[in-house]
Amino acid sequence: MDPERVTHTGPDGRHLLGPVNAAKTPRWAGVGTFARLPRTDQVEHTDIAVLGIPFDAGVSYRSGARFGPNHVRESSRLLRPFNPAQSASPFAACQVADAGDLIGNPFDIAEAIESIAAGAAELMDGGTKMVSVGGDHTIALPLLRAHHALHGPVALLHFDAHLDTWDTYFGAEYTHGTPFRRAHEEGLIDPESIMHVGTRGPLYGTQDLDDDARFGFGIVSSADVMRRGVDAVVSLLRDKVGNRPLYVSLDIDVLDPAHAPGTGTPEAGGMTSREVLEILRGLRGLNIVGCDVVEVSPAYDHAQLAGIAAAHVVYELITVMALGPQAEPGGPAYGISRNLYGSAAED
């Protein structure tokens, strides 16, 4: 029996089906879709789909991200319909639904890349946008191929501890450390508007940075975020992207292992979950056409720290996408500008 759900009338007059009503069905009960949203087969049209891609055959160290999508879904049960940080109700602005999982051949990376690109293109046919949950970072390449087919070369903001622009591992061209080199070579990304955010940790040599710069990438390291602050970083990213179609790819290891231990290639000295969420909120009003959140590996997670962080990242990205490029950049509803109950805060 389907539980009672929150319903809305959207801005265009459409009936929107929202999350399971937590006052009628407790949050720990029922099927674990993202944020307890309906499935795509339960709605007439999906504006934003949350798509799981449980593929991790491209990892170079600790495996387990194949279990990430359902871990993030389970970690999202406590999300609520109103986002006070953006003063928005994303599930009332458009129809958001869980599209289930898209499967790639776990024994053939090249075949998996082809099937993921084809499946993503099929889901987006008709105007649906996607927030994909991996899986390892290999999936970014087929997703960029699918978005390039719709928008041409896209701007890219890549949140990650690592560059992911290496050439090969053991002679293999398609791994979770190579997707953005391949994307550059295939012309999928706009070299004038691509940035790494949160990058840190040891490299193989200076050639890594030389190659990365040659592809057009700028770098905002985790130390830059700490020293310059979130607002300065947001301003830099917005200037870099402009009004171009934007794809956001976020590896959960952009967070410090203290905030996201459940990942395959952890690096010390990372960003806090607060910093990442605030930067994502600062993208409000940009033309985000798609995004992914990857590398959550539940076997290494503790108390759902990485899963909860990833669920909130997905929630903030959905909110920014639901508001659309017409939204004005705005301050938070929490904090000094407005208190929890909506009245003006005292000076």
Side-chain angles (χ1 to χ4, degrees), residues 284-298:
R284 174 175 167 143
L286 297 183
N287 183 22
I288 299 179
V289 296
C291 44
D292 63 61
V293 179
V294 298
E295 299 283 356
V296 175
S297 188

Side-chain angles (χ1 to χ4, degrees), residues 68-346:
N70 280 335
H71 185 66
V72 174
R73 289 182 176 109
E74 285 298 314
S75 302
S76 73
R77 286 180 177 269
L78 202 57
L79 292 173
R80 301 176 180 90
F82 178 67
N83 183 341
Q86 298 199 49
S87 192
S89 297
F91 309 141
C94 63
Q95 183 63 68
V96 188
D98 193 315
D101 287 346
L102 176 60
I103 306 303
N105 188 334
F107 304 108
D108 189 323
I109 293 178
E111 181 182 323
I113 288 173
E114 294 295 332
S115 62
I116 291 169
E122 181 180 357
L123 181 59
M124 291 191 292
D125 185 31
T128 298
K129 292 184 178 181
M130 293 189 313
V131 182
S132 303
V133 182
D136 75 51
H137 225 150
T138 310
I139 71 170
L141 178 62
L143 294 173
L144 283 168
R145 287 178 180 175
H147 285 84
H148 176 268
L150 292 174
H151 305 286
V154 295
L156 172 69
L157 295 181
H158 170 221
F159 292 78
D160 201 320
H162 310 97
L163 301 173
D164 288 1
T165 51
W166 287 282
D167 192 7
T168 63
Y169 283 129
F170 291 86
E173 295 183 343
Y174 300 105
T175 77
H176 75 159
T178 66
F180 301 113
R181 180 183 285 247
R182 301 287 91 84
H184 163 75
E185 292 170 348
E186 295 179 22
L188 307 180
I189 52 180
D190 182 349
E192 299 297 320
S193 53
I194 52 179
M195 292 284 293
H196 303 295
V197 183
T199 312
R200 63 191 186 277
L203 299 171
Y204 294 107
T206 58
Q207 186 63 41
D208 294 340
L209 293 171
D210 294 340
D211 287 349
D212 197 73
R214 179 165 52 84
F215 303 149
F217 278 96
I219 298 176
V220 177
S221 71
S222 59
D224 291 330
V225 175
M226 181 268 293
R227 291 192 177 97
R228 299 182 62 178
V230 166
D231 291 344
V233 170
V234 167
S235 179
L236 173 65
L237 298 181
R238 295 183 69 92
D239 288 345
K240 188 73 170 177
V241 171
N243 61 2
R244 299 174 179 88
L246 170 63
Y247 189 89
V248 178
S249 185
L250 188 143
D251 186 326
I252 203 64
D253 72 19
V254 72
L255 296 174
D256 190 87
H259 295 265
T263 190
T265 49
E267 302 279 2
M271 295 165 64
T272 68
S273 54
R274 179 174 57 243
E275 289 170 333
V276 168
L277 294 176
E278 282 297 307
I279 291 173
L280 294 177
R281 291 163 185 156
L283 305 182
R284 174 175 167 143
L286 297 183
N287 183 22
I288 299 179
V289 296
C291 44
D292 63 61
V293 179
V294 298
E295 299 283 356
V296 175
S297 188
Y300 300 97
D301 209 6
H302 306 290
Q304 291 185 314
L305 290 178
I308 290 168
H312 280 264
V313 164
V314 173
Y315 182 63
E316 295 298 337
L317 287 167
I318 287 173
T319 304
V320 173
M321 293 172 73
L323 293 173
Q326 70 278 4
E328 292 291 331
Y334 281 130
I336 61 172
S337 61
R338 185 175 175 183
N339 71 18
L340 180 60
Y341 300 100
S343 60
E346 294 181 1

Side-chain angles (χ1 to χ4, degrees), residues 8-49:
H8 306 279
T9 300
D12 57 1
R14 284 186 300 146
H15 175 75
L16 303 178
L17 194 61
V20 171
N21 188 338
K24 301 292 184 179
T25 303
R27 294 186 180 279
W28 59 84
V31 177
T33 59
F34 183 82
R36 308 177 87 206
L37 287 162
R39 304 185 310 268
T40 51
D41 61 0
Q42 294 176 308
V43 298
E44 293 183 1
H45 174 74
T46 303
D47 298 303
I48 300 175

